[in-house]
Amino acid sequence: MGVTLTKPLTIDAAAGMRAVAQRSVHKLNADQVLLTGWRRLADNCFVATARWPGDHPFYAVRGGRHDALLLSETVRQSFPLLSHHAYDVPFGHHLVWDTYAWRLNPAALWADGSPADIELHVSAREVVHRRGSVAVLALDYEILRDGMPLATAESRFTVQAPAVYRRLRGSHADPAAVRPIPVPPAIPAGPAGRDRSADVVLAPTGSARRWQLRVDTRHRALFDHPVDHVPGMLLLEAARQAAHVVDGRPSAVVTGMETRFLRYAELDAPAWIEARETGRDAAGRPTLSVTGTQDGHELFDCAVTLDAGGPRQPRGQAPDSRPPGV
């Protein structure tokens, strides 16, 4: 990932901000809306503000830190916001994730029970038009907390008109017609870095490094509204949980991910998650590779980096071969 944390930015993010509606970030549940405002700074340059709650029912504070994936949900909400309001993408068009990479400073995740104010400084490095409308957007982010660097991110996604999307998705285009497979039991919550079984997205297979993806469409945070495929945020959560299990440190903070989304993950067929250690980065932090497959096809791949500290759990029985935790 070719972006680095830089010096603090001094733009007055509060000046001339436009409010953010639920519809603009594709959320039905108002409690899940993180973005609070946005404005254009220049051609293809924007600033958006967000407020993280003092705690979150899914992206919960643990060990005195906000959840690192709360950052990704914040960035993800900026995709529809900027698409619709800055690039005139009509509502009803589909945004399809292509690539996403981010890196953060874990010390900036500190939490004290009060809301955290976040700024996203966004620039578009690629804007592709086809037939008079935007078809591709690639965005770079510098993300601040209280004016100091929190993270960097970069992402690319495509925009598909409803007719094109229906043609590509075929029988899977209608969420009401898709019948999700039964939700299998979860692996124990603790090794996956979770406190509740309901938030675990991995199911045991008898292997210490392979799981069935657990897709519960009733989960309010991961499935805010009906969809016809597995959301990208659920795949990122699966990568994070798999990395925790293989690394053996469920309290470790994920400090970065580099993800390619290769195919739609369907709701009506089992998908499989595999993880392996790949070594350490230049700073000595553990790195892991996580992949997802379905019907013999690769769905996504994700390189996960964890912080270097923290004790490992004892290596005994494979954590995903035990009965699910309560």
Side-chain angles (χ1 to χ4, degrees):
M1 180 175 170
V3 287
T4 57
L5 297 177
T6 61
K7 64 182 181 180
L9 301 179
T10 57
I11 294 169
D12 181 2
M17 299 296 284
R18 302 180 187 179
V20 175
Q22 287 174 240
R23 182 175 184 237
S24 299
V25 296
H26 295 182
K27 287 292 184 183
L28 293 181
N29 183 356
D31 293 339
Q32 299 296 326
V33 177
L34 301 173
L35 296 183
T36 57
W38 79 281
R39 71 181 175 97
R40 187 189 299 271
L41 301 176
D43 287 346
N44 298 317
C45 291
F46 314 91
V47 61
T49 54
R51 173 160 286 193
W52 291 355
D55 204 350
H56 190 279
F58 181 64
Y59 300 111
V61 170
R62 300 190 69 190
R65 288 173 170 171
H66 289 284
D67 190 318
L69 284 194
L70 193 60
L71 170 77
S72 292
E73 174 57 23
T74 306
V75 170
R76 190 212 59 77
Q77 290 187 19
S78 74
F79 301 164
L81 174 72
L82 295 178
S83 294
H84 297 313
H85 298 294
Y87 292 99
D88 298 322
V89 171
F91 286 93
H93 281 49
H94 296 264
L95 311 183
V96 182
W97 228 341
D98 183 11
T99 60
Y100 174 52
W102 58 272
R103 192 172 302 279
L104 61 74
N105 171 19
L109 292 175
W110 59 269
D112 60 6
S114 59
D117 290 322
I118 309 297
E119 293 177 21
L120 297 85
H121 294 261
V122 190
S123 60
R125 72 175 182 277
E126 181 184 7
V127 183
V128 178
H129 290 81
R130 295 195 184 107
R131 298 181 180 178
S133 61
V134 171
V136 177
L137 272 176
L139 304 174
D140 292 339
Y141 296 77
E142 291 200 26
I143 302 164
L144 314 175
R145 179 181 182 182
D146 298 326
M148 298 300 294
L150 167 64
T152 57
E154 55 186 46
S155 190
R156 185 180 190 273
F157 56 93
T158 60
V159 181
Q160 295 175 351
V164 174
Y165 187 80
R166 287 194 299 270
R167 185 169 67 249
L168 291 174
R169 298 290 289 135
S171 61
H172 287 98
D174 180 9
V178 176
R179 296 290 178 264
I181 64 172
V183 182
I187 67 171
R194 282 293 176 182
D195 298 322
R196 304 188 315 143
S197 290
D199 293 333
V200 175
V201 300
L202 303 177
T205 65
S207 166
R209 297 173 184 268
R210 187 173 189 265
W211 308 267
Q212 183 178 342
L213 183 65
R214 190 169 181 269
V215 181
D216 184 356
T217 57
R218 301 165 301 176
H219 196 286
R220 293 193 68 200
L222 293 171
F223 288 88
D224 168 81
H225 54 275
V227 292
D228 59 70
H229 60 276
V230 176
M233 285 301 300
L234 193 156
L235 299 179
L236 295 183
E237 179 64 27
R240 185 250 292 273
Q241 292 186 17
H244 281 320
V245 174
V246 171
D247 177 71
R249 294 177 303 135
S251 62
V253 177
V254 178
T255 62
M257 285 182 168
E258 296 185 31
T259 307
R260 297 185 305 157
F261 298 95
L262 304 171
R263 299 175 69 94
Y264 292 102
E266 306 295 357
L267 300 171
D268 57 1
W272 310 97
I273 305 297
E274 297 185 60
R276 61 183 177 86
E277 296 155 309
T278 54
R280 292 181 177 268
D281 68 5
R285 294 173 294 219
T287 59
L288 300 96
S289 173
V290 182
T291 57
T293 57
Q294 188 173 60
D295 293 331
H297 300 289
E298 191 170 3
L299 299 172
F300 76 100
D301 60 56
C302 182
V304 182
T305 303
L306 301 173
D307 66 4
R312 282 185 164 79
Q313 291 192 341
R315 296 281 190 175
Q317 182 182 16
D320 57 349
S321 66
R322 292 176 286 178
V326 176

